[in-house]
Amino acid sequence: GAGVSQSPSNKVTEKGKDVELRCDPISGHTALYWYRQRLGQGLEFLIYFQGNSAPDKSGLPSDRFSAERTGESVSTLTIQRTQQEDSAVYLCASSSPAGGKNEQFFGPGTRLTVL
Amino acid sequence: AQKITQTQPGMFVQEKEAVTLDCTYDTSDPSYGLFWYKQPSSGEMIFLIYQGSYDQQNATEGRYSLNFQKARKSANLVISASQLGDSAMYFCAMRVNFGNEKLTFGTGTRLTIIP
């Protein structure tokens, strides 16, 4: 079956522009997560959706970052007025919470470069 | 708050030898899960192995095993009979159960297998 997909795979933008990153989770997965990975570093949690509600937005670094999810499907992460420090790979993951392992399946990521 | 510490930024291992990647964690929650992910140069995150905090036995998945020492709060990954394809970044991660489903990641260990 299809895995988590993300688009675009690469995005180059100019400082101050807005960008939208898209994530298509695995069909049937109710939980969706966004993470950020700066060059050479581990993953930082940004936001978690259960269905289309976001019970945990604690990782969003500033009010320039927002995310939404349509039903139990596609999610978009929007970064307004991008800054050079926003350059990173943005990874999306989905899971089907049922206790136990609740493994998160990751997409290939979107590499964002802010010039 | 949860914290994951990986103290080995890089490791070089001869092909066919076993390798242990260190991971220590910190949490006050009694119920949690520990994960290891592999990230090759392609950037994808590949789930390797999971250990629940109440699991009595160490987890094993093929050549991967997790040396779980609860009292020491350590969850080291052991790879037996290393192969060239094992060269990658390896991340240890933790999820506290009940409520917050996010993964907290360590900074990773870059493993290089030498032929």
Side-chain angles (χ1 to χ4, degrees):
Chain A
V4 178
S5 60
Q6 293 186 246
S7 61
S9 55
N10 278 284
K11 177 71 177 178
V12 180
T13 190
E14 293 180 348
K15 178 181 173 181
K17 300 279 190 181
D18 297 352
V19 295
E20 273 192 4
L21 312 180
R22 176 186 169 109
C23 172
D24 280 90
I26 292 172
S27 177
H29 280 190
T30 57
L32 186 147
Y33 316 79
W34 283 97
Y35 295 88
R36 177 172 71 178
Q37 185 177 28
R38 289 194 165 120
L39 186 64
Q41 298 187 22
L43 280 70
E44 307 169 68
F45 168 78
L46 296 179
I47 188 169
Y48 153 60
F49 286 93
Q50 182 59 249
N52 61 4
S53 66
D56 190 348
K57 304 180 183 180
S58 63
L60 294 178
S62 75
D63 58 8
R64 296 186 295 105
F65 287 72
S66 63
E68 63 179 27
R69 187 180 185 194
T70 307
E72 294 185 350
S73 183
V74 173
S75 175
T76 55
L77 176 68
T78 301
I79 309 173
Q80 296 178 308
R81 305 180 302 281
T82 51
Q83 303 294 313
Q84 288 181 335
E85 71 229 32
D86 300 333
S87 296
V89 176
Y90 291 81
L91 290 151
C92 175
S94 70
S95 71
S96 181
K101 184 167 63 174
N102 187 17
E103 169 192 351
Q104 293 184 20
F105 294 83
F106 283 83
T110 293
R111 181 175 299 277
L112 174 66
T113 303
V114 182
L115 301 176
Chain B
Q2 297 80 47
K3 185 175 181 181
I4 294 283
T5 302
Q6 294 181 257
T7 57
Q8 304 155 312
M11 289 188 71
F12 291 84
V13 172
Q14 204 75 39
E15 189 180 7
K16 298 181 184 176
E17 290 187 352
V19 56
T20 298
L21 305 181
D22 294 342
C23 172
T24 58
Y25 60 92
D26 189 25
T27 181
S28 56
D29 288 86
S31 181
Y32 51 88
L34 296 157
F35 300 77
W36 277 92
Y37 281 86
K38 173 183 178 181
Q39 187 177 45
S41 56
S42 57
E44 62 195 297
M45 293 289 287
I46 303 169
F47 166 76
L48 296 179
I49 196 166
Y50 164 82
Q51 180 85 41
S53 59
Y54 293 121
D55 293 344
Q56 295 296 313
Q57 294 188 340
N58 286 346
T60 59
E61 291 283 352
R63 293 187 299 114
Y64 304 108
S65 60
L66 201 151
N67 183 1
F68 181 45
Q69 297 188 39
K70 195 170 182 177
R72 293 186 174 186
K73 293 191 175 179
S74 76
N76 298 341
L77 176 70
V78 180
I79 306 174
S80 63
S82 58
Q83 302 171 356
L84 295 179
D86 294 333
S87 293
M89 282 290 289
Y90 288 81
F91 291 98
C92 181
M94 174 170 63
R95 184 197 70 232
V96 171
N97 295 336
F98 306 118
N100 192 333
E101 298 289 331
K102 72 179 185 184
L103 288 174
T104 299
F105 284 84
T107 51
T109 296
R110 181 172 297 282
L111 176 64
T112 303
I113 306 300
I114 304 166

